[in-house]
Amino acid sequence: MAIQLTFRRTSRLSMRIAKNGDVHVSAPFGISKREVEAFICQHQEWIAEARRKTSERLRQRADFYSQLPLTTKSQKIEANERLMAMVEPMLERHAKVMGVNPSAISFKPMISRWGMCNVKERSICFSTYLLLLPDWCLEHVVVHELCHLLEPSHNLRFHALMDQFYPKWKEARKETRRLMKGGDCTDMC
């Protein structure tokens, strides 16, 4: 276990566990090395539990994504075709109601996000792993990305647009997160 210490303009010591299990400690400028070491020693149980939880979350994510094999070119092509067949009618229906028109739609096997909207180019890219989600959660992602064509950031206006165009978006996001944590179905937002 590596420990990474960073001095910041903060009033207290804090720490987090990185995905690789390392401990990242933030400390106020001027604090002694002895105080930092004591802080770490006092929190050994917390560190062990946090590392266990981080490892479990990573295992659950890996299990989730492994449900859709995308190792060969033919698997990727077939998955993208299936996803396009599902997404296209949703895009047409919602884009018309919302008064938007994306310039291009693409698919990539992204695991860090469900979709991306390039506002300047008006293009949208969806994660191929959306195939692991129930249709209503996938639809949430479609509407989410279309809303970015109206409002680039996740501010109050954006959330109001989501409420207007897909009122059950919060439930879809919650279900997606539940499924990624090892639920009985697949879902991701």
Side-chain angles (χ1 to χ4, degrees):
M1 158 181 81
I3 297 174
Q4 178 182 334
L5 175 60
T6 306
F7 290 96
R8 302 182 188 274
R9 290 184 183 187
T10 182
S11 60
R12 62 183 181 88
L13 284 161
S14 63
M15 73 175 93
R16 68 177 181 84
I17 306 299
K19 288 181 180 179
N20 67 359
D22 289 353
V23 178
H24 290 210
V25 179
S26 293
F29 290 111
I31 196 167
S32 72
K33 185 177 178 182
R34 182 175 293 156
E35 288 177 275
V36 173
E37 290 171 350
F39 177 75
I40 294 168
C41 285
Q42 291 168 359
H43 292 89
Q44 286 300 312
E45 287 181 28
W46 179 89
I47 291 170
E49 181 63 13
R51 292 181 82 216
R52 184 194 65 73
K53 287 179 180 177
T54 298
S55 176
E56 177 63 18
R57 274 194 307 276
L58 291 173
R59 185 195 60 75
Q60 288 170 346
R61 278 180 64 92
D63 288 349
F64 178 82
Y65 289 107
S66 70
Q67 296 175 83
L68 181 64
L70 295 173
T71 52
T72 67
K73 187 175 181 177
S74 63
Q75 287 174 330
K76 290 175 186 175
I77 290 169
E78 190 266 334
N80 286 344
E81 288 172 353
R82 283 180 32 225
L83 185 57
M84 181 54 126
M86 296 169 71
V87 167
E88 197 168 41
M90 293 177 189
L91 278 169
E92 288 175 9
R93 183 173 67 254
H94 289 289
K96 184 177 180 179
V97 170
M98 296 169 74
V100 296
N101 188 23
S103 63
I105 302 297
S106 60
F107 304 98
K108 288 199 298 195
M110 302 181 289
I111 60 171
S112 61
R113 55 180 63 183
W114 294 113
M116 290 187 309
C117 179
N118 182 321
V119 177
K120 287 184 180 181
E121 294 179 9
R122 302 191 62 77
S123 63
I124 298 174
C125 181
F126 292 104
S127 171
T128 310
Y129 291 102
L130 284 167
L131 286 170
L132 297 173
L133 299 181
D135 288 353
W136 69 286
C137 292
L138 185 149
E139 190 169 6
H140 155 252
V141 176
V142 169
V143 174
H144 181 108
E145 298 309 327
L146 288 172
C147 279
H148 280 306
L149 295 175
L150 298 170
E151 176 54 55
S153 60
H154 292 116
N155 58 19
L156 290 174
R157 179 173 182 256
F158 176 86
H159 291 116
L161 290 167
M162 287 298 297
D163 288 339
Q164 177 184 349
F165 295 116
Y166 201 70
K168 59 183 177 181
W169 70 272
K170 289 177 185 172
E171 293 87 351
R173 184 178 62 181
K174 185 177 180 181
E175 177 65 7
T176 295
R177 290 175 177 166
R178 184 191 70 78
L179 292 168
M180 287 189 68
K181 290 181 181 178
D184 55 354
C185 189
T186 55
D187 185 27
M188 181 159 74
C189 264

